[in-house]
Each structure stands twice: as structure tokens, then as C-alpha cells.
């Protein structure tokens, strides 16, 4: 399967614990995005990378959240000291962005559903 | 924050009927995209319409865009039970580099139920 993959698909944790999610984008895609989606809402942008550089972070991304993409391939999203309000679906997407290509479609992974008890 | 607002929030139709969903947004866009999401799963890209386009077709899908009214519609013709899902519009703002925006802004979605 050459689509975007995410691991794990489900995570249940206790409040105060740290969690880490992984995203593997489509191999030739240079942009990688993280979104969060709560029940009944659309996805909300968290952050994005172009290759290994993190170029933008949303105000939603508190200092308990950190994302990395060390080699410009897979990415990890870590949440420290989880809170019940962090319960959501965390979606990863990737796209191919290049000069002269003005329109980029984002391809989403299946998401990681986080439940904080 | 959510820019788009889909209308209606929920829609229930009989198989074979057409389904129309609307999306309104607030700021200037480079393009608008529609996605489908089956319950509790990831999003599937359906169609992208550029800001200089007015209408686009893909199979049973027809999308219109009216930038003067900042609105778009998605029409699904001859609906099937498998079309049951939530549908989201997402706006893509202009990127100064010309390489496309980094961020999609989604609405809250329309939940479509197609009854067999």
C-alpha cells in the first residue's frame, strides 16, 4: 500500500502520560501535515513540514505538543502530560509541493484515535 | 478556527436521489477541495476546484464555485448506499511562493445518509 500510514490506529492512555504517534507519508511527498479532529468537527490544522523543516505551527499546538520529521520522511507527534481535552483523532496528510505547481492535494492517513482517561 | 460552513449539517435521502451540499467560506482562496470521511476513518480526497474555475465534474460528482459569493456546492447524482459518509469542504489559501498553500481550513461537514 503506497498511501499515508499512521501508527497506532488507537491509543488509550491515562491523564498525565506521554504519547507518541507516527506518520509515514507517501514516499515522494515533501510536505507533511498534522491535523486534529474532535467529534462532530472538521479537521483543524496543527503543523506542517517541508522536508525536515517545521515551517508553521498553529496556536492549537501548545508547548506540550512536539512534532519532528528528522530525515524528511516519517514524522512523529508527541503529546506530553496528556489531558482529557487532548482526546481526538490525529490525522496526518502529505502532499507534493513544488515551484510552478500551484495546487496541492493532500492525501490523508487513517488517523490515530487518542482517548485520554 | 473553521472557515467553511457546510449546509445542511445532515441530509438523508433515498438511494438513487441526488444529494446537494453547500459550503460557504470567508476569505480569499487559491482553491477549494471536497473530502469524504466514513465514520471514524481518514479523509478521502474527492475533487479540487481552482479559484478561476466555476464548475468541475468527476464521475457522479459535480462541484461549483462562486468566488463572488464565497460559496461552493457538491452534487452527488444517483446516490448509492455506499455514499453514506460525512462530506467536508476545505479551503486552500494563496501561497506567495506559488507552490500551493500549506494549510487546509475545513468546515464542520455535512453528514449524508443514503437509505437503500
Amino acid at each position: 500500500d503506497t498511501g499515508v500510514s499512521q501508527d497506532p490506529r488507537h491509543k488509550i492512555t491515562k491523564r498525565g502520560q506521554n504519547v507518541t504517534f507516527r506518520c509515514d507519508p507517501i514516499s515522494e511527498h515533501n510536505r507533511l501535515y498534522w491535523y486534529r479532529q474532535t467529534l462532530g468537527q472538521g479537521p483543524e490544522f496543527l503543523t506542517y513540514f517541508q522536508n525536515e523543516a517545521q515551517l508553521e505551527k498553529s496556536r492549537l499546538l501548545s508547548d506540550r505538543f512536539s512534532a519532528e520529521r528528522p530525515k524528511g520522511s516519517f514524522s512523529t507527534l508527541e503529546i506530553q502530560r496528556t489531558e482529557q481535552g487532548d482526546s481526538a483523532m490525529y490525522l496526518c496528510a502529505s502532499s507534493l509541493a513544488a515551484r510552478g505547481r500551484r495546487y496541492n492535494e493532500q492525501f490523508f492517513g487513517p488517523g490515530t484515535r487518542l482517548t485520554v482517561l | 478556527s473553521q472557515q467553511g460552513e457546510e449546509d445542511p449539517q445532515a441530509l438523508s435521502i433515498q438511494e438513487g436521489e441526488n444529494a446537494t451540499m453547500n459550503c460557504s467560506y470567508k476569505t480569499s482562496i487559491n482553491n477549494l477541495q471536497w473530502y469524504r470521511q466514513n465514520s471514524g476513518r481518514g479523509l478521502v480526497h474527492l475533487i479540487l476546484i481552482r479559484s478561476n474555475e466555476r464548475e468541475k465534474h468527476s464521475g457522479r460528482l459535480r462541484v461549483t464555485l462562486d468566488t463572488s459569493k464565497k460559496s461552493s456546492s457538491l452534487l452527488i447524482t444517483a446516490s448509492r448506499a455506499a455514499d453514506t459518509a460525512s462530506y467536508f469542504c476545505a479551503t486552500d489559501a494563496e501561497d506567495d511562493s506559488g507552490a500551493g498553500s500549506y494549510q487546509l481550513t475545513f468546515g464542520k461537514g455535512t453528514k449524508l445518509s443514503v437509505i437503500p
Side-chain angles (χ1 to χ4, degrees):
Chain A
D1 188 344
T2 57
V4 178
S5 61
Q6 293 187 246
D7 182 68
R9 295 289 304 277
H10 302 272
K11 179 71 177 177
I12 300 174
T13 191
K14 293 183 179 178
R15 189 175 54 187
Q17 297 294 306
N18 299 344
V19 294
T20 300
F21 311 139
R22 176 180 170 124
C23 170
D24 286 88
I26 294 171
S27 59
E28 64 268 25
H29 284 185
N30 53 1
R31 282 191 177 172
L32 186 149
Y33 313 78
W34 285 99
Y35 291 83
R36 181 176 72 184
Q37 184 179 25
T38 54
L39 202 60
Q41 302 293 316
E44 294 178 294
F45 172 80
L46 292 178
T47 188
Y48 96 104
F49 293 83
Q50 174 128 343
N51 300 312
E52 65 276 8
Q54 187 174 16
L55 297 186
E56 187 70 25
K57 290 195 281 188
S58 159
R59 288 172 298 172
L60 293 174
L61 212 66
S62 76
D63 55 9
R64 295 185 298 106
F65 289 68
S66 63
E68 293 183 344
R69 194 183 183 200
K71 297 181 180 178
S73 56
F74 74 91
S75 175
T76 58
L77 177 68
E78 181 183 16
I79 309 175
Q80 295 182 326
R81 304 181 303 281
T82 52
E83 302 173 355
Q84 288 184 323
D86 297 331
S87 294
M89 175 82 89
Y90 290 85
L91 295 162
C92 175
S94 70
S95 72
L96 178 62
R99 281 216 172 269
R101 184 189 167 97
R102 297 185 63 230
Y103 309 102
N104 78 101
E105 301 169 16
Q106 295 183 20
F107 295 84
F108 282 78
T112 295
R113 182 169 295 283
L114 172 67
T115 302
V116 181
L117 302 175
Chain B
S1 63
Q2 317 254 240
Q3 166 167 225
E5 288 288 338
E6 285 91 342
D7 170 54
Q9 290 186 337
L11 179 62
S12 185
I13 59 174
Q14 294 288 329
E15 199 165 32
E17 293 181 338
N18 295 342
T20 299
M21 288 159 270
N22 301 298
C23 168
S24 60
Y25 57 91
K26 297 175 184 174
T27 62
S28 297
I29 61 171
N30 174 285
N31 65 78
L32 184 146
Q33 304 177 34
W34 284 90
Y35 286 82
R36 183 185 74 219
Q37 185 177 39
N38 290 87
S39 180
R41 306 186 71 171
L43 285 87
V44 174
H45 186 272
L46 295 176
I47 197 165
L48 180 153
I49 185 165
R50 303 172 185 178
S51 59
N52 62 353
E53 295 177 317
R54 291 297 166 259
E55 187 171 314
K56 202 162 183 179
H57 297 255
S58 177
R60 293 184 296 113
L61 305 180
R62 173 178 169 253
V63 169
T64 63
L65 179 64
D66 187 335
T67 52
S68 66
K69 294 181 179 178
K70 291 187 168 58
S71 67
S72 173
S73 68
L74 171 68
L75 169 67
I76 304 174
T77 60
S79 64
R80 306 167 181 167
D83 295 328
T84 295
S86 290
Y87 292 82
F88 295 90
C89 69
T91 53
D92 191 357
E94 191 79 43
D95 184 322
D96 292 340
S97 74
S101 169
Y102 57 83
Q103 176 181 341
L104 293 178
T105 303
F106 286 82
K108 294 184 179 181
T110 291
K111 192 167 185 178
L112 174 65
S113 299
V114 181
I115 302 165

